[in-house]
Amino acid sequence: MASFNETKLLTVAEALQFDNRFTRELPADPNLENHRRQVTGACYSKVQPKQFEAPRLVAYSPEVATLLDLSGRFCASKEFVQTFVGNRLLPGMDPYATCYGGHQFGNWAGQLGDGRAINLGEVINQSGERWALQLKGAGATPYARMADGLAVLRSSIREFLCSEAMHHLGIPTTRALSVVTTGEPVERDMFYDGNPKDEPGAVVCRVAPSFTRFGHFQIFTSRGEIDVLRQLANYTICTDYPHLGVHSATEITEDTYTTWFDEVCRRTARMVVHWQRVGFVHGVMNTDNMSILGLTIDYGPYGWLEDYDPNWTPNTTDAHGRRYRFAHQPQIALWNLVQFARAIYPLVGKAEPLESSLDSYQKCFEQSWQSMMAQKLGFVEYEPTTDDALCKELDAVLQMVETDMTIFYRKLATMEFNDRQTVLDKKWSAHLVEAYYSPEQLTDDYETRLNKWLDDYGKRLQKDDLPTERRRERMNAVNPKYVLRNYLAQLAIDKAEQGDHTMVSELLDLLRRPYDEQPEKEEFAQKRPDWARHRAGCSMLSCSS
Ligand code: AMP
Ligand code: MG
């Protein structure tokens, strides 16, 4: 007779309806051994997750659990922890790691692949949606190269919290179901200075319609494996782009590939516009970290702009060239799309349609950026004749003194511009005081320039003539009050490393409603405290995770 636990497990297994289309339809690596190697002619290798001695739940996302039709009771159970650390496979799970390549920091890096990500399969939920489940940090795979296949708690908490925060900000992203500590130490040299130390290990269960990246296509083209390239592209079009109306590979023509590429360009443009809107810096926009669905993927050394500095990058590995700095993200996305275009070129056979989609990336980016800025500033529509200059000057004013981007836009929404004389006379920096990091920078020069900008801005608002309240609502709907400030994540990590997981849940809860005033949580909307300015994890991060 089945024990209570087994019965419960059965219920869960019934809830999770696996339909593993990726492994069913795409070529597999015939080698079943789990040792590091070059894998050719295949999209994935079967691999078993590592077994961990003492897994413990740190947190889970109730919204993602709901997407998967998982009950709260199951999420609070030991079975949940055992399942999403990878110790227990449910019926229908078929674990595998995928093969991909990529350009890292502008250079072709050859085969990369899921070195520490193990896919469990895809479930179809009760609404008929397909969700792929992937464990990050569940052990080495054939793609692990020189590394251990593991992840540490600090980076797992950062991925878990940020992917959920991004979702609630309305930004396309992979999701995270859970973060579980493994009970086993993982050695990391956080500063690459020859002083490795043991850190708690953890596993995140990521959830997305698909984890396919630009690099998945690049690897086959680089090896001349055009047949596998075609299979993967056809699969992606039929599975991940069902709205293109193609249901079988036989219906696919050269035009289908170009239509598909065009949509990838637009989705990527819209994703990056969102990043620019909220001040998110991905940190490692390598082509292997670019999702084919235009989702934000691979949360590593990302960061949030605190003082508005377009040249800022959180990634210490990139500190020198700053390739992935905030202001450069739109161009890098385009560069990555060019690499992706090269990868699928053999399927299309002509350059013009691909080039025209790359142009449309730029147009789509420009348009989306303009309408995003219009919303941020509370205009009905973007009007280039006036707004180009206003945006340019705002960019300069924000950089004149260290200004917190998030606080600035929320404060801007609270200003009244009805009486022009008051705008000019007022010492507005006093109104913005919470946004400034170094009050001694507020020189007369700055005051004059800020007032001039506010005066121009006020005049521009009068043209639209929106009631103040409407403008405020409009602005607050796109300018978050709460973001995952780098130091907040670090405080939650510090506590979690001591075994106290409460702040992880508290932040998860806070970031569910990032645009709402949450008066009892005001402290989380404050600018970065001074102690965090140079602390690792708060202002700078390495790739070591
Ligand atoms: P990332 O910088 O996290 O996007 O990773 C780049 C590549 O390195 C991917 O192929 C990862 O799977 C791999 N990788 C990163 N960290 C590890 C690790 N600890 N063990 C195995 N592979 C890793
Ligand atoms: Mg990656």
Side-chain angles (χ1 to χ4, degrees):
M1 212 177 86
S3 72
F4 172 67
N5 278 350
E6 280 166 357
T7 319
K8 207 159 70 172
L9 199 61
L10 252 181
T11 327
V12 175
E14 278 161 12
L16 288 176
Q17 293 292 327
F18 280 90
D19 176 51
N20 301 324
R21 204 163 161 183
F22 192 95
T23 49
R24 192 165 67 232
E25 295 189 10
L26 291 168
D29 171 11
N31 186 346
L32 297 178
E33 279 169 44
N34 190 355
H35 61 81
R36 277 94 162 153
R37 59 180 179 269
Q38 292 291 307
V39 174
T40 55
C43 289
Y44 67 93
S45 308
K46 297 226 175 182
V47 59
Q48 296 299 310
K50 180 175 150 68
Q51 297 294 298
F52 293 105
E53 288 283 322
R56 203 179 139 210
L57 183 69
V58 175
Y60 76 91
S61 157
E63 287 88 0
V64 180
T66 304
L67 278 183
L68 302 176
D69 307 321
L70 297 175
S71 70
R73 202 162 142 234
F74 176 61
C75 295
S77 72
K78 281 201 184 108
E79 282 75 14
F80 180 86
V81 181
Q82 291 292 340
T83 305
F84 294 109
V85 80
N87 279 356
R88 187 171 295 169
L89 294 181
L90 297 177
M93 284 181 177
D94 187 18
Y96 63 96
T98 68
C99 181
Y100 58 78
H103 280 88
Q104 297 186 314
F105 298 94
N107 303 306
W108 176 244
Q111 179 182 298
L112 298 166
D114 291 325
R116 55 167 166 177
I118 298 184
N119 301 276
L120 297 173
E122 302 139 49
V123 296
I124 308 283
N125 72 7
Q126 280 172 16
S127 316
E129 296 163 340
R130 176 177 296 273
W131 291 103
L133 308 183
Q134 183 180 84
L135 302 180
K136 182 168 176 179
T141 74
Y143 308 95
R145 296 177 292 152
M146 310 293 282
D148 56 11
L150 304 173
V152 292
L153 181 59
R154 67 182 149 86
S155 61
S156 305
I157 288 176
R158 282 170 48 82
E159 166 131 20
F160 174 76
L161 284 179
C162 200
S163 43
E164 289 307 283
M166 293 287 268
H167 168 75
H168 294 296
L169 283 164
I171 304 177
T173 177
T174 61
R175 306 290 301 271
L177 171 66
S178 54
V179 51
V180 175
T181 46
T182 62
E184 292 178 28
V186 172
E187 195 181 74
R188 285 290 179 272
D189 184 355
M190 189 169 159
F191 302 107
Y192 300 117
D193 62 358
N195 290 308
K197 72 172 186 99
D198 277 350
E199 299 190 40
V203 173
V204 171
C205 177
R206 316 204 268 200
V207 177
S210 155
F211 289 101
T212 303
R213 302 141 187 270
F214 293 1
H216 276 104
F217 302 89
Q218 288 183 282
I219 189 72
F220 300 121
T221 311
S222 77
R223 288 169 167 167
E225 295 174 356
I226 305 307
D227 193 43
V228 191
L229 169 73
R230 184 172 290 108
Q231 287 182 65
L232 179 64
N234 293 355
Y235 171 85
T236 304
I237 288 169
C238 295
T239 313
D240 301 324
Y241 281 77
H243 51 279
L244 295 184
V246 176
H247 305 295
S248 96
T250 53
E251 298 167 39
I252 293 179
T253 64
E254 281 163 15
D255 286 349
T256 321
Y257 297 121
T258 56
T259 310
W260 169 51
F261 178 67
D262 198 71
E263 189 173 334
V264 176
C265 290
R266 286 165 193 280
R267 284 179 183 238
T268 305
R270 286 194 286 264
M271 171 186 78
V272 178
V273 168
H274 278 297
W275 294 356
Q276 306 307 97
R277 167 170 69 84
V278 297
F280 174 80
V281 189
H282 183 285
V284 213
M285 290 178 72
N286 293 334
T287 56
D288 53 301
N289 291 338
M290 296 294 293
S291 142
I292 200 66
L293 284 173
L295 307 173
T296 314
I297 191 170
D298 271 19
Y299 292 86
Y302 69 82
W304 294 81
L305 278 191
E306 283 158 336
D307 57 289
Y308 180 79
D309 173 4
N311 289 320
W312 184 69
T313 173
N315 185 352
T316 51
T317 317
D318 191 27
H320 194 65
R322 291 179 188 260
R323 180 179 171 85
Y324 299 140
R325 63 189 182 272
F326 177 70
H328 213 205
Q329 298 189 119
Q331 266 164 277
I332 289 292
L334 176 62
W335 191 90
N336 289 340
L337 284 163
V338 171
Q339 308 317 314
F340 176 54
R342 292 206 168 120
I344 62 166
Y345 174 77
L347 306 178
V348 179
K350 37 186 197 266
E352 301 77 49
L354 298 173
E355 280 162 3
S356 118
S357 295
L358 292 168
D359 287 343
S360 77
Y361 164 87
Q362 277 166 309
K363 286 193 200 100
C364 176
F365 180 85
E366 186 76 8
Q367 270 172 8
S368 315
W369 185 87
Q370 291 181 347
S371 90
M372 175 274 280
M373 282 309 292
Q375 282 179 287
K376 275 185 92 66
L377 294 171
F379 306 153
V380 173
E381 258 178 33
Y382 192 91
E383 289 174 18
T385 44
T386 46
D387 302 348
D388 282 354
L390 264 178
C391 288
K392 191 156 172 256
E393 178 62 4
L394 175 61
D395 188 68
V397 170
L398 285 173
Q399 289 175 70
M400 275 182 87
V401 305
E402 281 180 54
T403 315
D404 189 277
M405 175 181 170
T406 307
I407 299 176
F408 175 84
Y409 280 102
R410 290 295 282 210
K411 283 279 164 197
L412 189 64
T414 65
M415 292 182 181
E416 296 282 354
F417 292 91
N418 301 334
D419 176 357
R420 180 137 183 257
Q421 204 46 48
T422 350
V423 174
L424 282 171
D425 291 348
K426 201 158 174 178
K427 203 167 178 197
W428 280 107
S429 64
H431 186 87
L432 290 167
V433 70
E434 289 157 44
Y436 297 124
Y437 283 92
S438 307
E440 72 280 3
Q441 295 174 333
L442 303 174
T443 58
D444 288 347
D445 255 13
Y446 172 75
E447 298 283 354
T448 313
R449 208 149 150 199
L450 174 70
N451 272 29
K452 168 81 175 70
W453 185 83
L454 286 170
D455 186 40
D456 291 345
Y457 174 60
K459 280 191 237 157
R460 168 68 180 85
L461 288 176
Q462 274 162 18
K463 270 211 273 176
D464 281 350
D465 202 24
L466 273 188
T468 305
E469 207 33 57
R470 277 285 299 121
R471 170 176 64 91
R472 194 164 295 163
E473 272 170 25
R474 213 175 143 70
M475 292 173 74
N476 287 350
V478 294
N479 296 321
K481 166 102 181 189
Y482 298 100
V483 294
L484 183 61
R485 290 176 177 275
N486 312 311
Y487 83 91
L488 290 177
Q490 189 57 42
L491 287 176
I493 291 164
D494 290 344
K495 286 193 181 164
E497 287 181 344
Q498 303 306 312
D500 173 3
H501 302 149
T502 48
M503 194 170 167
V504 176
S505 303
E506 190 177 13
L507 288 180
L508 179 68
D509 197 42
L510 172 84
L511 297 166
R512 252 183 210 126
R513 293 186 294 121
Y515 300 103
D516 291 359
E517 294 291 333
Q518 300 182 45
E520 71 292 0
K521 301 284 179 188
E522 201 61 34
E523 62 182 301
F524 295 124
Q526 310 284 305
K527 62 178 175 265
R528 176 199 63 217
D530 218 41
W531 61 259
R533 184 181 285 265
H534 299 297
R535 212 196 125 182
C538 297
S539 55
M540 47 190 181
L541 293 127
S542 70
C543 278
S544 140
S545 59

